[in-house]
Amino acid sequence: MSTPDSPTWAAPNDVEEFKRQYEVDAADLFNNIAVLVQRIRLERDTSRTQLAATNETIDNLEEQVTRLNLDLNVARAAPAPTVSVPIAAAPPPTTVPAFRSEKFPDPEKFDGTHTKLPGFISWIE
């Protein structure tokens, strides 16, 4: 349905001018009113369609927010997942030779006796 082009209309400044403008031929007044009513209906219908689409979008977004909140609450309530962290294997023990040099053999292990401490220290120096 197409709306006819509205005739050029000079709006009256006051009621008296309005009466004079349409007193002779009221048909122009009714035609102008009909065109205005058609425009108002078209704009009303367009606005209703846009409003319905907007409401549907809002409903969809509210549903998505509700689902995300539920997922978040479930995630918060679930125990933290256990993550296995690989532990590096300890390096194999290094073998220490019985002595490091034939000229300077390793000293005997100090057993903690205080009387043997001066001799142990002098042997290390």
Side-chain angles (χ1 to χ4, degrees), residues 7 12 14-15 29 37 43-44 48 58 60 62 64 66 69 71 84 92 94 99 111 114 121 123:
D14 59 16
V15 176
L29 174 64
V37 169
E43 289 180 15
R44 178 199 61 200
R48 282 183 181 167
I58 289 171
N60 289 338
E62 285 176 343
Q64 289 177 10
T66 301
N69 279 330
D71 291 347
S84 60
T94 56
F99 57 88
D111 63 0
H114 291 291
I121 291 175
W123 200 90

Side-chain angles (χ1 to χ4, degrees), residues 104-116:
F104 302 105
D106 290 341
E108 288 184 25
K109 187 173 180 179
F110 180 67
D111 63 0
T113 308
H114 291 291
T115 57
K116 295 182 181 177

Side-chain angles (χ1 to χ4, degrees), residues 39-115:
R39 283 188 180 173
I40 289 169
R41 286 180 179 160
L42 177 65
E43 289 180 15
R44 178 199 61 200
D45 293 344
T46 303
S47 297
R48 282 183 181 167
T49 304
Q50 290 173 345
L51 183 61
T54 302
N55 283 332
E56 186 176 339
T57 301
I58 289 171
D59 290 344
N60 289 338
L61 290 172
E62 285 176 343
E63 186 177 327
Q64 289 177 10
V65 167
T66 301
R67 271 192 254 133
L68 287 172
N69 279 330
L70 288 173
D71 291 347
L72 179 61
N73 289 337
V74 167
R76 285 181 177 164
T82 54
V83 178
S84 60
V85 178
I87 300 174
T94 56
T95 55
V96 178
F99 57 88
R100 292 191 183 121
S101 162
E102 291 183 14
K103 280 187 175 180
F104 302 105
D106 290 341
E108 288 184 25
K109 187 173 180 179
F110 180 67
D111 63 0
T113 308
H114 291 291
T115 57

Side-chain angles (χ1 to χ4, degrees), residues 13-29:
N13 293 329
D14 59 16
V15 176
E16 290 305 317
E17 187 179 341
F18 181 82
K19 284 180 183 179
R20 276 192 305 273
Q21 188 174 0
Y22 294 107
E23 201 170 48
V24 176
D25 188 13
D28 283 342
L29 174 64

